[in-house]
Amino acid sequence: GTRHHFTIIFNAFVFCQVFNEFNAREIGDVFDPFKKLGTSPMFVIVIIFTIIAQWFIVEYGGDFTQTYPLSFEEWEITFMLGAMSIPVGYLMRLIPIDEDPESFAGIGDSMPKKKPTSSFGMLSLLIPLAAAGYQFYKE
């Protein structure tokens, strides 16, 4: 592949990491990745710094970082590809896991009990995502 191609992959990967940081703000079965952002100023600063640093690395890194400047449309596409990690974080929370409450991050009995979900339900959510990804890639 070309430097341009690898820059697109690199940018999408970094945005996957940025959005996964929102998923990782809460462990367990709770899913509200944007909850109480105002009470986490350091988190917001890290996210903003990461995005600004990524922009400089891609746009001005050149030979030093082996990157190629991207168009606005390519930035949008890589941003949206990275944002796909938010629904993946949701889907991961639907996977039933038997956990010993005494050994799970010290949370114990304060975690609400989760009813099991079927694999078919998860598959029905993944198929449209895969189809959308294929259509996007095909264009």
Side-chain angles (χ1 to χ4, degrees):
T2 65
R3 182 188 290 191
H4 186 206
H5 176 86
F6 288 125
T7 302
I8 290 171
I9 293 170
F10 169 61
N11 211 43
F13 175 77
V14 169
F15 276 118
C16 284
Q17 298 306 309
V18 166
F19 282 102
N20 195 49
E21 289 177 40
F22 286 92
N23 282 330
R25 292 182 72 226
E26 182 70 52
I27 60 172
D29 296 337
V30 177
F31 182 76
D32 193 356
F34 304 106
K35 178 180 167 185
K36 297 184 181 179
L37 280 178
T39 62
S40 302
M42 186 57 72
F43 177 81
V44 174
I45 289 168
V46 167
I47 295 297
I48 290 170
F49 175 80
T50 303
I51 293 170
I52 291 171
Q54 178 66 11
W55 182 76
F56 275 106
I57 289 168
V58 167
E59 296 299 315
Y60 300 107
D63 289 335
F64 181 70
T65 59
Q66 296 294 304
T67 56
Y68 184 87
L70 301 179
S71 69
F72 182 75
E73 182 182 15
E74 291 166 334
W75 277 96
E76 285 180 314
I77 290 167
T78 56
F79 181 88
M80 295 306 291
L81 286 170
M84 300 271 303
S85 67
I86 295 290
V88 169
Y90 173 73
L91 291 172
M92 287 177 57
R93 285 170 172 82
L94 296 177
I95 299 171
I97 297 174
D98 292 328
E99 190 78 50
D100 179 8
E102 300 300 319
S103 70
F104 185 73
I107 295 174
D109 293 328
S110 66
M111 288 183 59
K113 299 294 180 203
K114 183 178 158 187
K115 64 180 187 177
T117 59
S118 72
S119 297
F120 178 73
M122 287 184 43
L123 186 61
S124 67
L125 290 172
L126 288 175
I127 289 173
L129 282 174
Y134 175 75
Q135 285 297 101
F136 179 79
Y137 178 75
K138 201 168 95 174
E139 293 175 2

